[in-house]
Amino acid sequence: MAKGKGTVLSILVTVLLISLVACGSAGSQAGSSKRSSSGKESGAADFPVDDNGYPKKSVVLINGKEYSLTNIDQAIADTPKQQTMNLKVKKDQTSLKVVLPRISLIYFWSADPEESLSMTSYKKDSVEIKKEKILEGTSPELLTFEFELPPEDSDLTFQMANINDVEKAFSDQKAIYQLTIRITRSK
């Protein structure tokens, strides 16, 4: 019987050590840089965060460069906001990567499927938020869209709409914010 107690004690000590190691590595990730994305080695964008650690809602990253989302704070269903930005790309550039903050749990971003750009990748990442900084309804998610660029100038349109519209066609979604990126190639 003493041998059985020793085995149980050994298992408990092992579990305790594993728990301590796991807590130590989680704690080191939680104290990481304020510009940290998901803490994963997934190649997630280095997205700027606010004082609470959430992705800044007024920023979009395009090929790793920050651009401002104007008037996104005033975007509501009754008065949707629109923004058009001009983006020059190199003549031989073949792809475009756009990272948008989800901002709120009740909204999502989608890209217009009717445009001439072909989406090659879509992924969701989350920044790590400390427990004491969690805000109700605010999303820590980043949405990364990657596209193959056509050889000619083109437009790319995103819109933010209520999550209830996720199954609807792009044109039927009630957008609160629409972002159009006018892509021109350098000569």
Side-chain angles (χ1 to χ4, degrees):
M1 192 78 165
K3 188 174 186 178
K5 286 182 182 178
T7 304
V8 170
L9 183 59
S10 143
I11 291 171
L12 286 174
V13 168
T14 303
V15 168
L16 180 61
L17 287 173
I18 291 171
S19 297
L20 287 172
V21 168
C23 287
S25 66
S28 67
Q29 278 187 350
S32 62
S33 160
K34 287 190 77 171
R35 289 182 58 86
S36 171
S37 285
S38 63
K40 302 175 196 166
E41 293 296 324
S42 66
D46 188 20
F47 205 92
V49 296
D50 65 18
D51 292 339
N52 290 315
Y54 285 91
K56 284 190 175 178
K57 59 184 169 185
S58 61
V59 172
V60 57
L61 286 185
I62 303 174
N63 288 341
K65 185 175 176 190
E66 286 183 33
Y67 295 88
S68 181
L69 292 172
T70 57
N71 299 320
I72 193 125
D73 290 332
Q74 291 114 21
I76 55 174
D78 296 337
T79 55
K81 300 294 178 188
Q82 294 183 342
Q83 177 181 354
T84 300
M85 63 174 53
N86 296 312
L87 179 70
K88 269 197 175 197
V89 298
K90 294 180 181 175
K91 186 178 179 178
D92 59 347
Q93 186 172 333
T94 59
S95 64
L96 187 73
K97 182 177 183 178
V98 178
V99 184
L100 290 158
R102 180 155 175 212
I103 301 172
S104 172
L105 298 175
I106 63 169
Y107 297 111
F108 71 99
W109 286 99
S110 58
D112 188 348
E114 301 298 318
E115 310 242 331
S116 61
L117 283 78
S118 170
M119 189 178 339
T120 58
S121 172
Y122 169 80
K123 85 176 167 181
K124 243 189 315 190
D125 285 311
S126 291
V127 296
E128 190 172 323
I129 306 297
K130 292 181 183 179
K131 189 175 181 178
E132 66 273 8
K133 297 281 189 169
I134 293 176
L135 302 173
E136 189 174 328
T138 303
S139 176
E141 292 180 346
L142 294 169
L143 308 176
T144 303
F145 300 83
E146 293 188 51
F147 299 90
E148 183 179 310
L149 288 176
E152 66 278 351
D153 295 349
S154 54
D155 286 351
L156 174 59
T157 302
F158 291 95
Q159 63 187 21
M160 185 191 308
N162 190 290
I163 196 75
N164 293 330
D165 288 349
V166 73
E167 297 295 324
K168 293 181 181 177
F170 187 86
S171 59
D172 294 335
Q173 296 170 1
K174 187 171 182 174
I176 66 162
Y177 196 89
Q178 190 171 68
L179 170 66
T180 300
I181 303 170
R182 285 235 151 85
I183 304 162
T184 55
R185 295 197 172 269
S186 59
K187 304 293 178 199

